[in-house]
Amino acid sequence: MLRVRKTTLAATMMLALMAALGLGGCSLFTPSLSEDTQSVVAKTDIKSSALVTEGKLTVALDTSNAPQAMTNQDGSIAGYQADLGRSIAEHFGLDVVFVDATSAEDVLASGKADIYLGATSSDASSKVKVTGDILEDACAIFGKSDSGQLNVSASDLSSATIGVQMSSASQDALSRAGINAQQKTYNNVNECFAALESGEVQYVACDMTAGSYLSRAYSDISFGGTIASVSKFSVATLATNSELTEKLGRVLDTICSDGTLDAIHTLWYGSTPTSLANTLVSGVVIDESDSGNNSDETQDDTTSDSADSQSTAAEEQPLTVDINDVNR
């Protein structure tokens, strides 16, 4: 069960990040509640008429999209987007409530949520306003590196064996990037990383988010760059709710400028950069006609128990949620 504290989520995450660095990047833990420090967040007032429920920010997200959002065994919501939702609510001085949804327009227009996390530009319409950039994702390469930095080129990949999830978008990304490597397919990204660790494959191709999340459990596996166009994800609000939309923009600006967004990103995705603009693997040429915000092209499967991760807003207990294989 979550406890209401006077401490800010940003302070908690910074402590978690410092603790993680001390563990060499193998796994990340949140500090115990007794280690929390007092901090003050400047509250952004919001009228109750702009909210689904007075005193609460109702946040919609897709809980099947691990590690962005997922459900713990106790029913609580964990993940990158969940922690971001908690931080946004804190800046509004509101409690947070999560609802599961896969469509921004459906959940907002029906009055079931105030905001939807994980929207793309294609969600924008006369009914839905899309605000800010909260996450970037793309098919990426991971490999072993003792230094923590992996330098790899398209020619390196073409002469190697690459682990990839069977029937996934990452297989298509390898082909479109012109990487004619030998591929070994696995049921999910967890199995790909186990094969990489054992030396069965030299590299893994998967979503940046899934790979970065899992790589935290391996001290010698690092992000090596992207091989596909970058998808950007944002926050959606009801277009007619100008009160919430305007003030949400201010809160997002604050979270970006004060380091909170970076801290949440580091907690869930390790040292992988928040911006993927300059991370294209050397020698890979992307067809601009393939670029865009198609989230279906950047989602492979993970099971969270392999990374032994934890939500920043939860107490110190392992995350033991089972994620069904989706093969998106």
Side-chain angles (χ1 to χ4, degrees), residues 35-299:
E35 293 177 300
D36 288 353
T37 58
Q38 297 290 328
S39 183
V40 176
V41 170
K43 299 296 190 295
T44 300
D45 292 333
I46 186 80
K47 295 178 181 177
S48 58
S49 59
L51 301 171
V52 170
T53 303
E54 183 176 358
K56 297 180 179 180
L57 183 70
T58 305
V59 178
L61 35 67
D62 182 0
T63 58
S64 69
N65 186 22
Q68 283 67 261
M70 45 198 169
T71 305
N72 289 326
Q73 287 184 334
D74 64 1
S76 61
I77 305 300
Y80 172 82
Q81 291 176 352
D83 283 344
L84 178 58
R86 292 183 179 98
S87 181
I88 294 172
E90 182 181 39
H91 280 75
F92 277 125
L94 301 170
D95 293 330
V96 67
V97 176
F98 293 110
V99 296
D100 188 19
T102 57
S103 168
E105 182 169 321
D106 288 349
V107 75
L108 294 173
S110 63
K112 295 179 181 177
D114 298 308
I115 65 174
Y116 178 87
L117 299 182
T120 67
S121 60
S122 62
D123 290 307
S125 68
S126 59
K127 294 182 179 180
V128 174
K129 174 74 173 179
V130 175
T131 304
D133 291 331
I134 60 170
L135 180 65
E136 294 186 2
D137 199 6
C139 183
I141 295 296
F142 293 83
K144 283 193 172 184
S145 172
D146 293 333
S147 67
Q149 292 186 332
L150 179 64
N151 296 315
V152 62
S153 67
S155 60
D156 293 332
L157 297 175
S158 293
S159 61
T161 301
I162 300 178
V164 64
Q165 181 180 309
M166 186 182 304
S167 303
S168 69
S170 296
Q171 281 190 294
D172 185 44
L174 284 168
S175 176
R176 285 191 289 178
I179 299 172
N180 300 313
Q182 179 179 349
Q183 295 182 15
K184 292 199 70 172
T185 58
Y186 299 90
N187 291 322
N188 53 49
V189 181
N190 301 67
E191 293 181 3
C192 293
F193 270 70
L196 176 58
E197 179 66 11
S198 68
E200 192 173 314
V201 299
Q202 283 75 58
Y203 300 99
V204 167
C206 65
D207 302 344
M208 179 285 290
T209 53
S212 297
Y213 171 73
L214 291 175
S215 67
R216 302 171 315 155
Y218 301 90
S219 61
D220 57 348
I221 294 179
S222 302
F223 167 79
T226 56
I227 60 169
S229 58
V230 176
S231 295
K232 295 185 178 183
F233 299 89
S234 307
V235 186
T237 55
L238 204 59
T240 55
N241 194 343
S242 57
E243 165 83 7
L244 178 58
T245 300
E246 178 186 352
K247 292 186 176 179
L248 172 65
R250 297 179 192 174
V251 168
L252 291 176
D253 286 344
T254 298
I255 289 173
C256 288
S257 63
D258 69 6
T260 299
L261 189 65
D262 286 342
I264 299 174
H265 194 280
T266 300
L267 187 66
W268 287 96
Y269 308 124
S271 60
T272 300
T274 56
S275 173
L276 301 179
N278 299 309
T279 61
L280 192 66
V281 168
S282 174
V284 171
V285 177
I286 293 184
D287 184 349
E288 290 301 322
S289 65
D290 290 334
S291 64
N293 291 327
N294 188 347
S295 61
D296 287 339
E297 293 187 359
T298 57
Q299 293 184 8

Side-chain angles (χ1 to χ4, degrees), residues 11-25:
T12 303
M13 289 184 296
M14 286 300 184
L15 287 171
L17 177 56
M18 290 187 288
L21 294 175
L23 291 171

